Amino acid sequence: MKPTDIQQPDTFHKVVDCQWACPAHTPVPEYIRLIAAGRYSDAYMVNWHSNVFPGILGRTCDRPCEPACRRGRVEEEPVAICRLKRVAADNKADIRGRLTPIPAQGNGKRVACIGAGPSSLTVARDLVPLGYEVHVYDGAAQGGGFIRSQIPRFRLPAEVIDEEVGYITDRGGVVTHYGQRVESLKALLDEGFDAVFVGSGAPRGRELDVPGRAEAAEHIHIGIDWLSSVSFGHVTEVGKRVIVLGGGNTAMDCCRSARRLGGEEVTVVVRSGFEEMKASPWEKEDALREGIPIRNYLVPKQVLHDQGRLTGMVFEKVRAEYDAKGRRSLVPAGEPDVTIAADTVLVAIGQENAFPWIERDLGLEFNRWGLPVLDEATHQSTLPKAFFGGDAAFGPKNIIWAVAHGHAAAISIDLFCRGEDVRNRPPPEARLISQKMGIHEWSYDNDVSPDLRFKVPHAPDEVALRDITLEVELGYDREMAFKEAERCLNCDVQTVFSAKLCIECDACVDICPTDCITFTANGEEADLRQRLKAPALNLDQALYVADGLKTGRVMVKDEDVCLHCGMCAERCPTGAWDMQKFILEAAKSVPPVHAAAAE
């Protein structure tokens, strides 16, 4: 194998599993250390620069970082990364003076953002400090998009949305057109904008097509529309018996909202198995904890009604079958149909994009699924000045993906407006900084303790289920946050090896608690992985290979199981191992803010 090039940003970035998994590449260990040090404002700014909405995401993120967390390989559960983000937001001081400054004079360029959701707001946040005048259009009276309309207040208080949307819209440079729905892209382009960003989401819920649907239509509602009506106070009650169709996070929000609006018998019905549901595990846990049953392998067959008054639904029982390639299909189970009584049905079986306001003669192409044809890296459409992001780009995902799309599109829009090639992406900024403070002393806490994850406190059900606006998760207090932050293994503090200092005494091999270091003869990767002290089985994580040793051997470290404990560096008599903090600043159009520079 060739020696590992540690100067390549992705080499160590991929080792920081949480940051690598985050679509916005938030430097997770960095902000967790700041929380442990009580530097909540600094921790917030690290987040704000990367993911834009720390307080919102600290309550609602889909958490792709947590399944990747290295702590999950030591104990059963990863570090509560998402909820620690909320700790930074809840405990920070006034940070408005630390936000990226806006130039006194603009650059003369105007950009329109359609939709005031997280992707559009991220574009605005990134472009305004560069001198752009950004106009944000939305049919709603306030900004936030689906963050405000579809996430219940018991999960995300309105004041948190107001605060973090305000950090973008209230500082100048952003012109908001709330209550103004864009009805024609051609008309908007005729206003002379230099570029247009479409972040209009996936606003149409999928319909239920079974006998009886039309007759009982008054009592059957599309989930996302119903949640929006609840959020804005247009719906304040629901039937006593409620069926929620669907297995995603929207379905979980619907069933939990229905419980708070008077639903006494709320049942979630899913056509797949429980483990196959698209809802996040914690969303399913919260629904079950609140006494909401989830019934699986039931396919809607008929809506029952009495002269238009809904009485229930009939479901066909199915089972999963898998072919030789592992592909699943649902087939009739041969069991009797299941009937569930209901006064209200909420349909949350998926969302679709809808672009009736985009004329089809503008040169903007769509694929067979109704999605725009885009360059996945630049987010540019076949109409060069039109860019897409969030759910409007590639279909429904989640907030953190919308933010990542906004960052990428902002880079493209800036390049496009400057007449440069949008494919010429700026590289990330990466650097390594030694953490050595003495022979055996480091500037970070490297104690690997076997601590289990701390549970987030909840409001009592007897209180929470009576008030749809009462936030059910109470969050960590500062003491509990410190204890949870200490579970972080500091994966961004890398073990950097210098072959010219090594005397091949094998002291590091002897002391390594996970047997991840081996000195051996070089060879092909498949062979080498099997010859290590502990075979390296995870092919998704690269090996760290260093040559230049006097014996001609190579040092090989399995990055997948290394705990970054620093014991190799402490034990090494020559300093061949050093613990160096890896800092990666993902590429953005907005000028970088080194929020932890207050160290």
Side-chain angles (χ1 to χ4, degrees), residues 579-595:
M579 305 305 294
Q580 297 185 15
K581 181 164 69 174
F582 173 75
I583 299 175
L584 181 126
E585 185 73 53
K588 300 179 183 68
S589 60
V590 65
V593 175
H594 300 298

Side-chain angles (χ1 to χ4, degrees), residues 205-209 223 245-247 250-251 269 271 300 346-351:
R206 288 187 181 147
E207 254 295 357
L208 175 68
D209 184 16
L245 302 177
T250 298
V269 180
R271 64 171 61 225
L346 304 176
V347 183
I349 55 177
Q351 294 172 233

Side-chain angles (χ1 to χ4, degrees), residues 502-535:
C502 180
I503 60 174
E504 301 183 63
C505 65
D506 280 4
C508 56
V509 177
D510 294 339
I511 202 169
C512 177
T514 61
D515 293 330
C516 68
I517 301 172
T518 305
F519 289 85
T520 186
N522 206 342
E524 296 296 328
E525 181 175 353
D527 167 62
L528 197 55
R529 282 182 175 271
Q530 294 298 323
R531 287 193 286 109
L532 303 183
K533 190 173 182 183

